[in-house]
């Protein structure tokens, strides 16, 4: 059984975070994987948190990653890494 890879990308302002998640999705699609993506633009123009969750696998049904289920956390700001650390899987 194929495990779904859960990746959470976080940053401030949005453009780099959203571009990185879009590139990640396109690469996974080119590799023949199923991909689902979710984005939250929290006051992006004013320097607020921006979160993109990407799930990659053979068959992915939901774009949302539950707390404690993130396999890889990519942060473009140190504070955002701390803010979203509780999403990281303990295994």
């Amino acid at each position: 059984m194929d495990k779904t890879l859960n990746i959470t990308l976080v940053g401030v302002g949005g453009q780099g975070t959203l571009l990185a998640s879009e590139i990640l999705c396109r690469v996974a699609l080119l590799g023949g994987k199923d991909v689902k993506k979710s984005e939250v633009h929290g006051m992006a123009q004013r320097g607020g948190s921006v979160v993109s969750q990407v799930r990659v696998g053979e068959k992915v049904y939901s774009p949302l990653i539950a707390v404690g289920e993130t396999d890889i956390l990519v942060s473009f700001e140190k504070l955002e890494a701390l803010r979203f650390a509780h999403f990281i899987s303990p295994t």
Side-chain angles (χ1 to χ4, degrees), residues 6-37:
N6 297 316
I7 305 166
T8 300
L9 298 95
V10 297
V12 173
Q15 294 304 315
T17 304
L18 300 178
L19 178 60
S21 67
E22 185 63 28
I23 291 170
L24 182 62
C25 288
R26 289 182 187 211
V27 168
L29 286 170
L30 287 172
K33 298 294 184 181
D34 187 23
V35 178
K36 300 291 185 281
K37 176 174 73 164

Side-chain angles (χ1 to χ4, degrees), residues 10-12 47-49 73 78-87:
V10 297
V12 173
S49 294
L73 175 66
K78 289 179 185 178
L79 181 58
E80 297 304 304
L82 292 172
R83 186 174 292 160
F84 290 92
H86 65 285
F87 273 85

Side-chain angles (χ1 to χ4, degrees), residues 8 53 64-70 84-90:
T8 300
Q53 296 180 326
L64 301 177
I65 301 172
V67 172
E69 296 294 319
T70 292
F84 290 92
H86 65 285
F87 273 85
I88 299 173
S89 172

